[in-house]
Amino acid sequence: MKLATMTVDGGAPEIGLVKGDQVVRLKQALPGLPTSMIELIARWDAVRGDVERATDEAATLPMARVQLLPPISNPGKIMAMGLNYADHVREGGAAMPQHQIWFAKCVSAVHAPFAPIQVPKVSDAVDYEVEMVFVVGKRGRHISRAAAPGHVFGYCVGNDVSVRDWQLRTPQWILGKSFDTHAPFGPWITTADEVGDPHRLDIRCLVNGDVRQNSNTREFIFDVYEQIAYLSQSMTLEVGDVIYTGTPGGVGVAMKPPIYLKAGDRVRCEIDGLGAIEATLENEA
Ligand code: ZN
């Protein structure tokens, strides 16, 4: 299943079941269902059968009629992995990581999948990072690798937008990774059962139509389930937490000389089976 958070005609946020180029408005097809994605995920075991069977012509719209919001607007936390594809490690000249490298993106950076991304006033070193994102479906701590698949609700396409001068001027990356508008993801959540094995998906980033990043999630150094096992040794993973799983090679900072994004550029991130997100860069007002 594909579940979107969206608005219709400027109304309140609601959840849609995406079917091809159509979307079923669940609040109409299934009144009484939660209208927040985190609440829906929390009740998923009880409601999934109803959602799966939701068909209601009167509640169905063409996708073009809806505005997509971040699938989860208020995750409890966003964690992101550094250096998780071998080609990205090599292009940066870093050593292969012996341990998983994690940082946080602040929740205030959450951004809709097709909304303009800001070039901040204080930098002209804005860079893209296409990443597979997963959404936690079940709370847990000290989750074993074997149990980890049961804790994934689904997957999205993300762009870990990075302000490189701010990221790299200090050992902690959090400010450079947390500018407003710099955590877009979507276009919707594709549920884990529909994705199957998440470690065989082509992943790409295009800037103004040029392919800049082109890889496959099989190139992960640490796969999704190892990520869950490791992260959950430190912290409880909660329903609706959003995890960025690392980016492949081809980022702008690694080019010689570096090429950064500027106002007017179009950045498209896509992953087979999960869809695409796309945005124009614009200068912060
Ligand atoms: Zn990243």
Side-chain angles (χ1 to χ4, degrees):
M1 273 174 279
K2 296 180 168 69
L3 295 164
T5 300
M6 62 189 195
T7 58
V8 180
D9 298 332
E14 57 181 286
I15 300 175
L17 175 65
V18 178
K19 295 184 169 184
D21 59 357
Q22 306 279 305
V23 58
V24 182
R25 304 177 72 179
L26 291 183
K27 74 171 186 185
Q28 290 185 354
L30 294 168
L33 216 62
T35 53
S36 117
M37 190 71 81
I38 290 183
E39 286 172 43
L40 183 76
I41 295 171
R43 284 183 49 196
W44 189 241
D45 287 346
V47 301
R48 83 173 282 164
D50 291 339
V51 174
E52 213 154 21
R53 289 184 294 273
T55 49
D56 180 343
E57 263 179 45
T60 302
L61 291 174
M63 279 299 298
R65 276 283 313 283
V66 311
Q67 287 74 50
L68 291 172
L69 300 177
I72 296 176
S73 59
N74 57 338
K77 57 184 165 292
I78 307 173
M79 296 299 294
M81 200 177 205
L83 303 181
N84 196 30
Y85 286 78
D87 56 350
H88 181 50
V89 176
R90 280 192 296 269
E91 74 181 355
M96 283 297 155
Q98 299 301 305
H99 299 283
Q100 298 182 23
I101 298 168
W102 286 99
F103 58 93
K105 283 176 86 73
C106 291
V107 172
S108 47
V110 166
H111 199 51
F114 296 96
I117 293 169
Q118 287 179 0
V119 177
K121 288 178 179 173
V122 293
S123 177
D124 50 16
V126 178
D127 207 355
Y128 49 83
E129 293 191 351
V130 62
E131 305 200 6
M132 186 169 78
V133 164
F134 70 86
V135 175
V136 174
K138 196 170 113 191
R139 190 170 191 276
R141 179 91 200 276
H142 296 295
I143 300 163
S144 69
R145 189 196 149 85
H151 289 261
V152 180
F153 179 71
Y155 297 89
C156 308
V157 182
N159 187 352
D160 174 19
V161 183
S162 303
V163 177
R164 297 300 187 194
D165 47 354
W166 280 63
Q167 177 193 348
L168 299 172
R169 68 172 57 145
T170 57
Q172 296 289 339
W173 298 351
I174 191 165
L175 289 187
K177 293 286 196 173
S178 294
F179 277 71
D180 284 3
T181 76
H182 287 190
F185 65 105
W188 40 70
I189 303 173
T190 303
T191 53
D193 59 321
E194 183 166 322
V195 172
D197 179 2
H199 305 116
R200 52 172 183 76
L201 305 178
D202 286 337
I203 178 168
R204 285 173 296 277
C205 178
L206 295 84
V207 178
N208 301 326
D210 294 336
V211 177
R212 296 283 185 84
Q213 296 181 280
N214 189 6
S215 189
N216 187 286
T217 55
R218 78 170 69 87
E219 304 296 331
F220 277 160
I221 298 170
F222 302 104
D223 73 19
V224 166
Y225 309 136
E226 291 173 82
Q227 294 177 27
I228 290 171
Y230 191 80
L231 261 185
S232 71
Q233 291 177 37
S234 163
M235 60 187 73
T236 301
L237 296 181
E238 310 267 4
V239 171
D241 284 352
V242 168
I243 316 291
Y244 282 67
T245 59
T247 200
V251 294
V253 68
M255 295 185 182
K256 306 211 170 10
I259 301 176
Y260 294 117
L261 297 170
K262 56 189 187 309
D265 283 348
R266 291 282 294 172
V267 180
R268 180 179 173 85
C269 297
E270 49 189 42
I271 299 177
D272 285 356
L274 306 184
I277 66 174
E278 183 165 354
T280 302
L281 275 286
E282 66 178 29
N283 288 322
E284 180 185 357

